[in-house]
Amino acid sequence: MNNRRPIRTGGLAAVLLLLAGPFVLDRALHGQASPVKSSLTGAVTYVYDGDTIKVRLDSGKEKRVRLIGVDSPELNDPQEAGRLWAFLARRFASSALYQKTVRLTRDREEVDVYGRLLAYVWTDDGTMFNEALVRQGFARAYLKYPFDEAVKARLRGAEDEARRAGRGLWREKPFDVIGPGEARARLGQVVTVRFLCARLFVRGRFEVFVPSAGDFEVVAPRDVLETFPGPLDYEGRTMDVTGLVEEFKGRPQVVVGLSAQVKAGVKGAAARPGPGV
């Protein structure tokens, strides 16, 4: 604990910060007094999973970045539920970070054993994405390794909140079932959208499912779709599609990456009643 009296002279405080070594108090940008190394900025060019991204720094170098203090499920998890939450965490990170400019601040350790840059990732609205990932239930607080105690407390509190609210990994209830007309109001949430598939069309490497009503789409990579079991003639079938509701070019959508996200009914059967259907 630092028991020195607070310094009120701005010039003297600046001198003391310069003498403090490579660590600075990034209080103004973080909203917290947290010792971090000088920050870097860049654009996110790839999202590997919920807690690992690639950033093209302003210097032009691309770096793999591992988010400090969080642990999201692995995409190769042996359990289907684990793989589902890993995919949803990746979509949550993609929706928030992909092709966006972010600020990276570092802590005591600069890189991990895999050579990845260790960082807190800040979005342009001042949100620490590490904390948001945990608060929304897409990752656990990972407090095993040493890093700033104030940030540890924030992440621990975020996980406690997610647990109490039953969000994400801590969810025990079935997902809300909505109709396509309600998707826009549920942006950023994981839900099951029930609709009658009116048609399918190809958009680049994706197959797009269009409901008979509602401004909404389901998008699935064609190579992924081909691995799904059963018939793939979804047109004319009632479908339940579970996923994160995102926005693409002004339209709400759900991206599919696992067969567990899609359930198709009998062809020609009417959609079961549900909100907005």
Side-chain angles (χ1 to χ4, degrees):
M1 178 180 294
N2 187 346
N3 292 317
R4 291 178 298 176
R5 296 178 62 186
I7 298 173
R8 300 182 183 279
T9 305
L12 180 57
V15 171
L16 289 174
L17 286 175
L18 289 173
L19 294 174
F23 293 97
V24 297
L25 286 182
D26 201 21
R27 184 192 307 269
L29 291 172
H30 285 204
Q32 296 284 331
S34 176
V36 295
K37 295 187 177 181
S38 56
S39 62
L40 303 169
T41 57
V44 177
T45 58
Y46 193 76
V47 176
Y48 295 97
D49 54 30
D51 54 40
T52 308
I53 61 177
K54 182 184 285 186
V55 178
R56 181 181 294 112
L57 301 174
D58 290 346
S59 65
K61 293 182 178 180
E62 280 199 320
K63 293 285 187 179
R64 290 183 70 192
V65 178
R66 176 64 165 82
L67 278 63
I68 296 173
V70 303
D71 184 31
S72 66
E74 300 294 331
L75 291 164
N76 61 354
D77 193 298
Q79 301 296 320
E80 184 176 77
R83 293 193 299 275
L84 174 61
W85 280 110
F87 178 77
L88 294 175
R90 184 183 185 188
R91 291 310 313 168
F92 181 74
S94 293
S95 181
L97 303 177
Y98 182 59
Q99 295 186 334
K100 306 286 179 59
T101 297
V102 296
R103 190 168 60 87
L104 310 175
T105 54
R106 295 165 289 172
D107 206 285
R108 293 168 176 81
E109 300 292 333
E110 287 195 32
V111 297
D112 66 7
V113 295
Y114 303 105
R116 297 175 298 187
L117 186 68
L118 296 171
Y120 306 114
V121 176
W122 301 84
T123 57
D124 60 3
D125 64 355
T127 297
M128 184 205 289
F129 186 73
N130 312 49
E131 183 178 8
L133 192 70
V134 175
R135 191 174 304 280
Q136 296 304 317
F138 293 105
R140 296 175 175 83
Y142 190 55
L143 311 178
K144 177 180 177 180
Y145 295 102
F147 60 93
D148 184 69
E149 292 298 326
V151 178
K152 279 189 177 183
R154 290 175 65 173
L155 294 176
R156 191 179 294 112
E159 182 175 305
D160 289 344
E161 180 184 320
R163 285 175 179 269
R164 289 193 301 270
R167 297 193 195 115
L169 295 167
W170 321 114
R171 188 179 185 89
E172 296 180 353
K173 298 178 181 179
F175 294 110
D176 293 345
V177 179
I178 67 169
E182 294 193 52
R184 183 173 299 281
R186 306 299 285 268
L187 287 172
Q189 299 179 31
V190 179
V191 296
T192 296
V193 184
R194 179 173 297 161
F195 62 95
L196 179 65
C197 182
R199 66 187 181 96
L200 291 87
F201 69 90
V202 174
R203 179 192 292 153
R205 64 185 184 89
F206 298 97
E207 194 89 16
V208 181
F209 301 66
V210 180
S212 57
D215 184 27
F216 171 76
E217 292 177 341
V218 171
V219 179
R222 299 177 70 189
D223 58 342
V224 171
L225 198 61
E226 289 169 359
T227 67
F228 285 13
L232 301 179
D233 57 335
Y234 295 118
E235 190 170 310
R237 295 181 185 271
T238 299
M239 302 187 68
D240 281 5
V241 177
T242 299
L244 179 75
V245 182
E246 307 172 46
E247 188 172 37
F248 179 73
K249 294 185 176 180
R251 175 172 291 182
Q253 68 173 21
V254 166
V255 177
V256 169
L258 301 169
S259 60
Q261 293 178 260
V262 178
K263 293 182 180 178
V266 178
K267 196 163 187 175
R272 296 186 297 277
V277 177

